[in-house]
Amino acid sequence: MSTRSIPPLGVVAIAVAMYAVLLALSAWWLREHRYGPVEHLLRRLTEGRRHR
């Protein structure tokens, strides 16, 4: 098995890319839904109806 590792700058680049993706997904979700995805799911499970 190889013991190659990611250099520190690579780790920062991956983190920034992941942050950008999550930011875009968050903006998309909140344009369509009133609540975040976890709160949306919990409300649906506990109240038994859909929220918008």
Side-chain angles (χ1 to χ4, degrees):
M1 182 190 288
S2 176
T3 59
R4 294 170 34 185
S5 63
I6 301 172
L9 190 56
V11 172
V12 170
I14 291 169
V16 168
M18 288 174 61
Y19 181 76
V21 168
L22 290 174
L23 195 62
L25 287 172
S26 175
W28 168 78
W29 179 272
L30 291 174
R31 272 195 306 269
E32 302 294 324
H33 303 281
R34 188 175 188 182
Y35 306 109
V38 174
E39 185 175 0
H40 184 79
L41 176 66
L42 289 174
R43 284 176 179 265
R44 189 164 185 183
L45 289 173
T46 58
E47 297 177 6
R49 58 189 168 100
R50 292 188 71 181
H51 286 272
R52 270 306 204 162

